[in-house]
């Protein structure tokens, strides 16, 4: 088993420095423009594809890093550059994780390459789980998938919302209800291939932050997908549903039946925490530089304890967040169970840290921090999403409390 360490090896340091250079030289100079335009930054994604960052090979190498630190390290550096552009670059990864978490080896090999394309023909993918009335409460999901046995096809109907790359993606991964009587345990994930009739983009959202990332509704109207597009296959689904029905009939509350959406979110929570660490670190560095160069009353403002202590707290929270993220990532990579909801802990603490640190950075910069002439204003807007998407902070606390107590707290 790989031992936990805080020292990156030579290969990891080389990748980190490479990503940091891309974030500094390519992402940051474009950040303000694409934030204002509120459009997908195709030129930056294409540049990332050309150098090998936006590629299946790169993410596979990081994902299978035996230490577990490849993905969080990559997320931190890219989001240090800019959260909106970085999310456009890595957004496809959530759909890929959905396939990895729920699909067969054949499905992984077939669909994930189509999610990325290549440097000459860049593709995107979207993971579609949330609905207008089903965000944190996945049991309220209404999108239905009905099996047409005669044609060996699944028919999907419903509306998804808050989908990164929704409607513009080449491949959509859609979570749908296959057995309403089982609540959240009656869900399954489906691949919707390119140009499938019946799938369309609904409303595109104008957002408070991460504006360079495309977020929209996805409408499914009689969408038919082949039977092999059910992630995991029908036999596995039937067996899972049968176990869930048996437990429901016997009144058993114990045991756990895998939920398609939750399996994806559990795998991605430490990575989201790493994104938050990157944004927080970026804001802290701007604030530190400003505090050491900005003078008031004849001296740098960092000479004031009110400023210096804030910076000390900011850095402490950032480092603590990174440690929680790295621990959870290492545990996942080495097969250690999250017996204390360590994945949720990392996402919760890092997300709250990003909101707090970016707010403090704005305060340290004063009036300048409130203008778009300085990047902390954008970073503060971007940071708000971390406590909301892929499980709100309230949901993370619920998961942690339930795990620690064994009580189904509501």
């Amino acid at each position: 088993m790989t031992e936990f360490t805080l020292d990156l090896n030579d290969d990891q340091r080389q990748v980190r420095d490479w990503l940091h250079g891309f974030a500094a030289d390519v992402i940051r100079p474009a950040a303000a423009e694409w934030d204002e335009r509120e459009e997908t930054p195709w030129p930056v994604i294409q540049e990332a594809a050309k150098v090998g960052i936006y590629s299946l090979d790169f993410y596979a190498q990081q994902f299978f890093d035996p230490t577990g630190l490849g993905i969080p390290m990559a997320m931190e550096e890219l989001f240090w550059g800019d959260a909106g552009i970085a999310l456009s670059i890595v957004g496809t990864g959530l759909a890929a994780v959905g396939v990895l978490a729920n699909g067969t080896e054949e499905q992984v090999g077939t669909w994930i390459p189509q999610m990325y394309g290549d440097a000459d023909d860049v593709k995107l993918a979207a993971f579609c789980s949330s609905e207008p009335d089903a965000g944190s409460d996945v049991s309220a999901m209404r999108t239905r998938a009905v099996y047409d046995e005669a044609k060996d096809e699944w028919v999907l109907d419903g509306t998804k919302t808050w989908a990164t790359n929704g409607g513009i993606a080449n491949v959509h991964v859609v979570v749908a209800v296959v057995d309403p009587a089982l609540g959240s345990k009656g869900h399954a994930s489906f691949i919707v291939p390119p140009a499938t009739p019946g799938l369309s983009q609904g409303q595109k959202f104008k957002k408070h932050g991460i504006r360079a990332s495309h977020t929209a509704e996805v409408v499914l109207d009689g969408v038919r997908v082949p039977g092999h597009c059910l992630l995991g296959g029908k036999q596995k689904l039937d067996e899972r549903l049968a176990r869930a029905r048996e437990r429901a009939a016997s009144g058993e509350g114990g045991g756990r039946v895998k939920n398609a959406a939750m399996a994806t979110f559990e795998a991605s929570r430490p990575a989201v925490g790493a994104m938050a660490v990157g944004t927080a670190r970026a804001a802290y560095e701007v604030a530190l530089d400003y505090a050491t160069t900005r003078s008031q009353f004849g001296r740098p403002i960092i000479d004031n304890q009110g400023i210096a202590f804030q910076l000390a707290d900011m850095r402490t929270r950032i480092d603590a967040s990174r440690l929680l993220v790295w621990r959870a990532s290492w545990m996942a990579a080495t097969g250690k169970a999250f017996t204390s909801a360590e994945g949720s802990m990392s996402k919760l603490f890092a997300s709250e840290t990003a909101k707090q640190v970016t707010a403090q950075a704005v305060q340290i910069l004063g009036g300048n921090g409130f203008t778009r002439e300085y990047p902390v204003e954008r970073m503060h807007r971007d940071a708000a999403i971390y406590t909301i998407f892929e499980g709100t902070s309230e949901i993370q606390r619920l998961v942690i409390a339930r795990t620690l107590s064994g009580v189904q707290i509501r």
Side-chain angles (χ1 to χ4, degrees):
M1 179 181 292
T2 303
E3 295 297 325
F4 181 71
T5 176
L6 297 177
D7 291 325
L8 299 178
N9 60 41
D10 290 341
D11 289 340
Q12 289 169 329
R13 283 194 292 270
Q14 185 176 4
V15 171
R16 180 198 61 192
D17 294 345
W18 172 53
L19 290 170
H20 186 81
F22 183 85
D25 298 338
V26 180
I27 294 178
R28 280 203 167 181
E33 175 189 352
W34 291 99
D35 177 72
E36 291 285 350
R37 292 176 63 166
E38 299 191 49
E39 296 174 358
T40 301
W42 285 106
V44 183
I45 298 174
Q46 289 167 342
E47 187 64 26
K50 288 179 182 177
V51 299
I53 293 174
Y54 186 81
S55 71
L56 172 59
D57 287 344
F58 173 73
Y59 286 106
Q61 289 174 11
Q62 304 317 308
F63 185 84
F64 292 110
D65 180 339
T67 70
L69 301 186
I71 289 293
M73 179 186 65
M75 295 301 107
E76 179 177 339
E77 293 305 328
L78 293 173
F79 280 74
W80 172 88
D82 176 69
I85 291 178
L87 190 56
S88 289
I89 293 173
V90 308
T92 290
L94 184 59
V97 168
V99 176
L100 283 169
N102 299 292
T104 64
E105 289 186 10
E106 182 179 359
Q107 289 169 330
V108 169
T110 298
W111 294 109
I112 293 184
Q114 294 187 47
M115 294 178 173
Y116 288 95
D118 55 45
D120 297 321
D121 187 19
V122 172
K123 305 294 185 183
L124 299 176
F127 183 74
C128 307
S129 176
S130 295
E131 297 184 3
D133 296 318
S136 298
D137 181 11
V138 295
S139 64
M141 190 177 295
R142 296 180 180 177
T143 297
R144 292 292 306 276
V146 178
Y147 184 56
D148 183 343
E149 188 171 359
K151 295 184 178 181
D152 186 27
E153 292 179 340
W154 289 88
V155 185
L156 280 63
D157 287 281
T159 299
K160 295 295 182 179
T161 194
W162 313 123
T164 299
N165 299 331
I168 65 171
N170 189 56
V171 177
H172 290 76
V173 177
V174 177
V175 182
V177 179
V178 294
D179 188 337
L182 294 176
S184 62
K185 295 179 176 64
H187 297 175
S189 291
F190 299 84
I191 291 284
V192 180
T196 299
L199 184 147
S200 62
Q201 178 185 310
Q203 176 187 4
K204 178 187 175 183
F205 296 104
K206 297 181 73 67
K207 305 187 299 295
H208 175 65
I210 55 168
R211 294 177 178 177
S213 174
H214 175 96
T215 310
E217 291 182 330
V218 174
V219 179
L220 303 141
D221 183 10
V223 172
R224 286 182 168 268
V225 299
H228 62 76
C229 287
L230 166 64
L231 290 180
K234 194 167 188 304
Q235 180 179 346
K236 186 176 180 181
L237 172 65
D238 289 342
E239 292 171 353
R240 177 166 62 82
L241 296 178
R243 291 195 301 272
R245 292 184 189 111
E246 289 174 6
R247 289 191 176 115
S250 64
E252 290 183 21
R256 181 176 180 184
V257 177
K258 184 178 179 182
N259 171 268
M262 290 301 101
T264 302
F265 294 141
E266 285 175 1
S268 64
R269 278 172 180 160
V272 176
M275 298 173 189
V277 171
T279 299
R281 188 183 114 211
Y284 159 77
E285 290 176 0
V286 173
L288 177 63
D289 180 69
Y290 188 88
T292 56
T293 57
R294 171 75 167 175
S295 292
Q296 291 286 282
F297 305 106
R299 60 180 184 175
I301 62 173
I302 199 170
D303 283 0
N304 300 298
Q305 285 188 2
I307 300 295
F309 285 7
Q310 280 195 75
L311 289 163
D313 288 341
M314 291 159 72
R315 177 58 185 267
T316 300
R317 286 188 64 95
I318 291 167
D319 282 13
S321 297
R322 185 183 297 107
L323 287 171
L324 285 170
V325 167
W326 281 20
R327 179 184 68 168
S329 301
W330 172 77
M331 290 177 67
T334 55
K336 291 185 176 293
F338 288 164
T339 55
S340 299
E342 288 87 351
S344 289
M345 283 184 183
S346 69
K347 199 267 185 185
L348 169 66
F349 193 81
S351 297
E352 295 291 342
T353 290
K355 284 187 67 175
Q356 179 175 326
V357 166
T358 55
Q360 289 176 294
V362 170
Q363 189 69 24
I364 289 172
L365 269 67
N368 286 327
F370 199 66
T371 72
R372 295 187 183 180
E373 297 300 313
Y374 287 80
V376 293
E377 177 271 340
R378 184 180 68 253
M379 294 169 183
H380 184 43
R381 286 189 285 107
D382 291 341
I385 194 59
Y386 298 124
T387 62
I388 298 172
F389 73 173
E390 294 197 54
T392 64
S393 287
E394 292 74 20
I395 289 296
Q396 305 308 322
R397 292 186 175 98
L398 186 65
V399 170
I400 295 166
R402 285 177 173 177
T403 304
L404 296 177
S405 68
V407 176
Q408 284 298 102
I409 300 164
R410 297 184 180 275

